[in-house]
Short mmCIF file of all heavy atoms in Angstrom, two decimals:
data_model
loop_
_atom_site.label_atom_id
_atom_site.label_comp_id
_atom_site.label_asym_id
_atom_site.label_seq_id
_atom_site.Cartn_x
_atom_site.Cartn_y
_atom_site.Cartn_z
N LEU W 68 136.76 100.13 110.56
CA LEU W 68 135.44 100.64 110.22
C LEU W 68 135.48 101.50 108.97
O LEU W 68 134.52 101.53 108.19
CB LEU W 68 134.88 101.46 111.39
CG LEU W 68 134.63 100.69 112.69
CD1 LEU W 68 133.99 101.62 113.73
CD2 LEU W 68 133.74 99.48 112.46
N ASN W 69 136.56 102.20 108.75
CA ASN W 69 136.69 103.03 107.56
C ASN W 69 136.75 102.17 106.30
O ASN W 69 136.19 102.54 105.25
CB ASN W 69 137.94 103.90 107.67
CG ASN W 69 138.04 104.91 106.54
OD1 ASN W 69 137.11 105.70 106.34
ND2 ASN W 69 139.13 104.88 105.80
N GLN W 70 137.39 101.03 106.38
CA GLN W 70 137.46 100.12 105.24
C GLN W 70 136.07 99.58 104.90
O GLN W 70 135.71 99.41 103.73
CB GLN W 70 138.42 98.96 105.54
CG GLN W 70 138.65 98.03 104.36
CD GLN W 70 139.30 98.73 103.18
OE1 GLN W 70 140.15 99.59 103.35
NE2 GLN W 70 138.90 98.35 101.97
N ILE W 71 135.28 99.29 105.94
CA ILE W 71 133.90 98.84 105.71
C ILE W 71 133.11 99.94 105.02
O ILE W 71 132.32 99.67 104.11
CB ILE W 71 133.24 98.44 107.05
CG1 ILE W 71 134.01 97.30 107.70
CG2 ILE W 71 131.78 98.05 106.83
CD1 ILE W 71 133.50 96.92 109.07
N LYS W 72 133.29 101.18 105.48
CA LYS W 72 132.58 102.31 104.87
C LYS W 72 132.90 102.43 103.39
O LYS W 72 132.01 102.70 102.56
CB LYS W 72 133.00 103.60 105.60
CG LYS W 72 132.50 104.89 104.97
CD LYS W 72 130.99 105.01 105.04
CE LYS W 72 130.56 106.45 104.73
NZ LYS W 72 131.02 106.94 103.43
N GLN W 73 134.13 102.20 103.01
CA GLN W 73 134.53 102.30 101.61
C GLN W 73 133.96 101.17 100.76
O GLN W 73 133.89 101.28 99.54
CB GLN W 73 136.05 102.32 101.50
CG GLN W 73 136.70 103.56 102.12
CD GLN W 73 138.22 103.51 102.08
OE1 GLN W 73 138.80 102.55 101.59
NE2 GLN W 73 138.86 104.56 102.59
N SER W 74 133.54 100.08 101.41
CA SER W 74 133.01 98.92 100.68
C SER W 74 131.50 98.94 100.55
O SER W 74 130.92 98.02 99.97
CB SER W 74 133.44 97.63 101.38
OG SER W 74 134.86 97.55 101.50
N ILE W 75 130.86 99.98 101.06
CA ILE W 75 129.39 100.03 101.07
C ILE W 75 128.82 99.99 99.66
O ILE W 75 127.76 99.40 99.42
CB ILE W 75 128.91 101.28 101.84
CG1 ILE W 75 129.08 101.06 103.34
CG2 ILE W 75 127.45 101.61 101.52
CD1 ILE W 75 128.64 102.23 104.18
N GLY W 76 129.51 100.61 98.70
CA GLY W 76 129.02 100.63 97.32
C GLY W 76 128.85 99.27 96.69
O GLY W 76 128.14 99.13 95.68
N GLN W 77 129.48 98.26 97.26
CA GLN W 77 129.36 96.90 96.73
C GLN W 77 128.04 96.23 97.13
O GLN W 77 127.74 95.14 96.66
CB GLN W 77 130.52 96.04 97.22
CG GLN W 77 131.89 96.58 96.86
CD GLN W 77 133.02 95.76 97.48
OE1 GLN W 77 132.79 94.65 97.98
NE2 GLN W 77 134.23 96.30 97.44
N PHE W 78 127.25 96.89 97.99
CA PHE W 78 126.03 96.28 98.51
C PHE W 78 124.83 97.22 98.30
O PHE W 78 124.25 97.73 99.27
CB PHE W 78 126.18 95.96 100.00
CG PHE W 78 127.41 95.16 100.33
CD1 PHE W 78 128.58 95.79 100.74
CD2 PHE W 78 127.41 93.78 100.20
CE1 PHE W 78 129.71 95.06 101.04
CE2 PHE W 78 128.54 93.03 100.48
CZ PHE W 78 129.70 93.67 100.91
N PRO W 79 124.45 97.45 97.03
CA PRO W 79 123.37 98.42 96.77
C PRO W 79 122.00 97.97 97.25
O PRO W 79 121.11 98.80 97.47
CB PRO W 79 123.39 98.55 95.25
CG PRO W 79 123.98 97.26 94.76
CD PRO W 79 124.99 96.87 95.80
N TYR W 80 121.79 96.66 97.41
CA TYR W 80 120.48 96.16 97.83
C TYR W 80 120.44 95.80 99.31
O TYR W 80 119.39 95.39 99.82
CB TYR W 80 120.10 94.92 97.01
CG TYR W 80 119.94 95.21 95.54
CD1 TYR W 80 120.96 94.95 94.63
CD2 TYR W 80 118.77 95.78 95.05
CE1 TYR W 80 120.82 95.23 93.28
CE2 TYR W 80 118.61 96.05 93.69
CZ TYR W 80 119.64 95.77 92.82
OH TYR W 80 119.50 96.05 91.49
N SER W 81 121.54 95.95 100.01
CA SER W 81 121.59 95.60 101.43
C SER W 81 120.89 96.67 102.25
O SER W 81 121.01 97.87 101.98
CB SER W 81 123.05 95.47 101.88
OG SER W 81 123.12 95.31 103.28
N THR W 82 120.16 96.24 103.27
CA THR W 82 119.56 97.19 104.21
C THR W 82 120.52 97.50 105.36
O THR W 82 120.34 98.50 106.06
CB THR W 82 118.24 96.62 104.78
OG1 THR W 82 118.50 95.34 105.39
CG2 THR W 82 117.20 96.46 103.69
N PHE W 83 121.51 96.65 105.55
CA PHE W 83 122.50 96.90 106.60
C PHE W 83 123.47 98.02 106.22
O PHE W 83 123.87 98.81 107.08
CB PHE W 83 123.31 95.63 106.89
CG PHE W 83 122.52 94.52 107.51
CD1 PHE W 83 123.07 93.25 107.68
CD2 PHE W 83 121.22 94.72 107.95
CE1 PHE W 83 122.36 92.23 108.26
CE2 PHE W 83 120.49 93.69 108.53
CZ PHE W 83 121.06 92.44 108.68
N ALA W 84 123.85 98.07 104.94
CA ALA W 84 124.86 99.04 104.50
C ALA W 84 124.44 100.49 104.73
O ALA W 84 125.22 101.28 105.27
CB ALA W 84 125.19 98.80 103.02
N PRO W 85 123.21 100.90 104.38
CA PRO W 85 122.82 102.29 104.67
C PRO W 85 122.76 102.58 106.17
O PRO W 85 123.07 103.70 106.59
CB PRO W 85 121.42 102.40 104.04
CG PRO W 85 121.38 101.34 103.00
CD PRO W 85 122.20 100.22 103.57
N MET W 86 122.37 101.60 106.97
CA MET W 86 122.36 101.79 108.41
C MET W 86 123.79 102.01 108.92
O MET W 86 124.03 102.87 109.78
CB MET W 86 121.74 100.57 109.09
CG MET W 86 120.26 100.36 108.77
SD MET W 86 119.59 98.84 109.50
CE MET W 86 119.70 99.23 111.24
N TYR W 87 124.71 101.23 108.39
CA TYR W 87 126.12 101.39 108.80
C TYR W 87 126.65 102.76 108.39
O TYR W 87 127.38 103.39 109.16
CB TYR W 87 126.97 100.29 108.17
CG TYR W 87 128.43 100.40 108.52
CD1 TYR W 87 128.92 99.86 109.69
CD2 TYR W 87 129.31 101.10 107.69
CE1 TYR W 87 130.26 99.97 110.03
CE2 TYR W 87 130.65 101.22 108.02
CZ TYR W 87 131.12 100.66 109.19
OH TYR W 87 132.44 100.79 109.53
N ARG W 88 126.28 103.22 107.19
CA ARG W 88 126.78 104.52 106.72
C ARG W 88 126.34 105.65 107.65
O ARG W 88 127.15 106.51 108.02
CB ARG W 88 126.28 104.79 105.30
CG ARG W 88 126.84 106.09 104.71
CD ARG W 88 126.35 106.37 103.32
NE ARG W 88 124.91 106.57 103.28
CZ ARG W 88 124.07 105.71 102.74
NH1 ARG W 88 124.51 104.60 102.20
NH2 ARG W 88 122.77 105.94 102.74
#
Side-chain angles (χ1 to χ4, degrees):
L68 296 184
N69 188 55
Q70 185 63 36
I71 299 175
K72 172 66 166 57
Q73 295 176 0
S74 303
I75 285 180
Q77 302 175 14
F78 308 96
Y80 297 98
S81 172
T82 56
F83 292 172
M86 295 176 66
Y87 179 86
R88 184 180 63 251

